[in-house]
């Protein structure tokens, strides 16, 4: 079924498919191109780094197994310098890869062999969420959220720690923290957090949220081994223990 173009943030979002298998790259280019997306392809890390149109890319579909470069290294570049949403595609298909991919800030993960319709649904979901973030950006700077001596500036997407230093957050960590700060002292289930971050419920073996909480704790807890700011509520989810002040 053709993609409902009205549901997309731009008429033809530009997707960069990073895939070294020419048959898979061609299949993806044809399928995604036939469903309202503008597709470019790159077959290596070098081609990604040399890609001239990077400013127009709305999403990268990244195969982890590339001939010339570790896909995870490339993921860091895309998340850091490019600041573009990434869906990791892996043929290795192991849970550990999934956790590592999400831990490094991928927006979603699809294992090969993938179902094309499922992949398209994931792409649409990530594009919709990043489009909402762009269009929902307020014209005036949003109020800073002060909590436990830290300060999150949603407009500038900056977190300042207790010593006045910038804390480097991945895109996913920022979204997770902001979600917790918007509803302080309430228990948020894994499903609620997963939906806020990835637009879907957490699966029974899905550790994505727990992994991201762990990373966030290492960055914002005074003692990450004994977290008291982000509390685990056994069998349910997480709660931000601090009060939040806006100014
Ligand atoms: Ca490959």
């Amino acid at each position: 079924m053709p993609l409902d173009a009205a549901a997309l943030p731009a008429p033809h979002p530009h997707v960069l498919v990073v895939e070294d298998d020419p048959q898979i790259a061609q299949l993806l280019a044809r399928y995604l191109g036939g469903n309202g997306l503008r597709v470019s392809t790159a077959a290596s890390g070098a081609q990604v780094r040399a890609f001239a149109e990077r400013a127009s890319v709305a999403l990268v579909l990244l195969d982890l197994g590339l001939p010339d470069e570790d896909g995870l290294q490339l993921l860091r570049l895309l998340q850091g310098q490019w600041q573009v949403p990434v869906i990791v595609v892996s043929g290795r298909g192991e849970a550990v890869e999934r956790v590592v991919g999400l831990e490094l800030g991928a927006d979603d993960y699809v294992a090969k062999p993938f179902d094309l319709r499922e992949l398209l649904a994931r792409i649409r979901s990530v594009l919709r969420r990043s489009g909402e973030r762009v269009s929902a950006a307020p014209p005036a700077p949003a109020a800073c959220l002060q909590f436990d001596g830290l300060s999150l500036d949603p407009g500038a997407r900056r977190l300042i720690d207790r010593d006045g230093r910038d804390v480097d957050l991945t895109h996913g960590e920022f979204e997770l923290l902001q979600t917790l700060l918007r509803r302080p002292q309430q228990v948020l289930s894994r499903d609620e957090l997963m939906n806020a971050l990835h637009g879907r419920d957490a699966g029974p073996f899905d550790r994505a949220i727990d992994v991201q909480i762990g990373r966030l704790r290492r960055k914002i807890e005074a003692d990450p081994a004994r977290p008291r700011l982000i509390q685990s509520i056994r069998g349910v989810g997480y709660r931000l223990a601090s009060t939040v002040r806006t100014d």
Side-chain angles (χ1 to χ4, degrees), residues 4-236:
D4 175 9
L8 292 168
H12 298 287
H14 188 185
V15 174
L16 176 62
V17 172
V18 184
E19 171 61 67
D20 62 311
D21 181 325
Q23 275 182 313
I24 297 177
Q26 203 186 12
L27 175 75
L28 285 170
R30 201 172 332 145
Y31 182 76
L32 299 177
N35 280 284
L37 299 165
R38 182 182 152 215
V39 182
S40 297
T41 57
S44 66
Q47 283 185 13
V48 172
R49 287 173 189 276
F51 192 68
E53 285 184 86
R54 91 180 211 201
S56 69
V57 172
L59 182 139
V60 176
L61 209 58
L62 175 66
D63 175 27
L64 282 186
L66 293 171
D68 63 336
E69 185 168 350
D70 178 11
L72 293 175
Q73 198 175 311
L74 209 51
L75 176 58
R76 279 187 209 104
L77 170 86
L78 296 169
Q79 288 288 329
Q81 273 172 261
W82 284 40
Q83 300 230 319
V84 64
V86 179
I87 296 181
V88 161
V89 180
S90 170
R92 306 176 208 178
E94 284 159 4
V96 68
E97 288 293 348
R98 179 188 172 95
V99 168
V100 168
L102 288 166
E103 184 164 8
L104 284 171
D107 288 79
D108 209 341
Y109 176 98
V110 178
K112 284 181 191 167
F114 45 73
D115 177 72
L116 283 170
R117 293 184 58 147
E118 164 76 12
L119 179 66
L120 183 61
R122 300 282 187 96
I123 290 173
R124 290 181 64 178
S125 167
V126 170
L127 285 174
R128 196 162 46 237
R129 277 181 283 122
S130 60
E132 276 163 10
R133 279 197 297 274
V134 172
S135 58
C144 287
L145 303 166
Q146 315 278 355
F147 65 104
D148 200 53
L150 292 102
S151 173
L152 186 84
D153 181 343
R157 298 183 79 83
R158 279 177 79 193
L159 176 66
I160 309 295
D161 74 6
R162 297 170 185 86
D163 303 316
R165 281 189 298 250
D166 264 295
V167 182
D168 193 22
L169 295 181
T170 65
H171 170 75
E173 289 158 8
F174 178 90
E175 295 295 326
L176 179 58
L177 179 58
Q178 183 165 239
T179 302
L180 289 164
L181 290 172
R182 297 281 179 208
R183 290 170 66 190
Q185 297 175 311
Q186 292 178 42
V187 179
L188 298 180
S189 71
R190 280 184 182 74
D191 278 349
E192 283 174 281
L193 292 169
M194 199 70 183
N195 268 302
L197 268 76
H198 299 288
R200 61 183 166 86
D201 287 354
F205 305 106
D206 206 330
R207 288 195 51 230
I209 291 296
D210 307 286
V211 168
Q212 275 186 327
I213 289 278
R215 280 180 63 93
L216 197 49
R217 277 175 171 158
R218 289 199 284 282
K219 293 181 178 182
I220 67 170
E221 293 279 356
D223 180 1
R226 287 177 204 77
R228 47 166 203 85
L229 194 49
I230 302 178
Q231 298 176 335
S232 303
I233 310 299
R234 192 186 289 264
V236 185

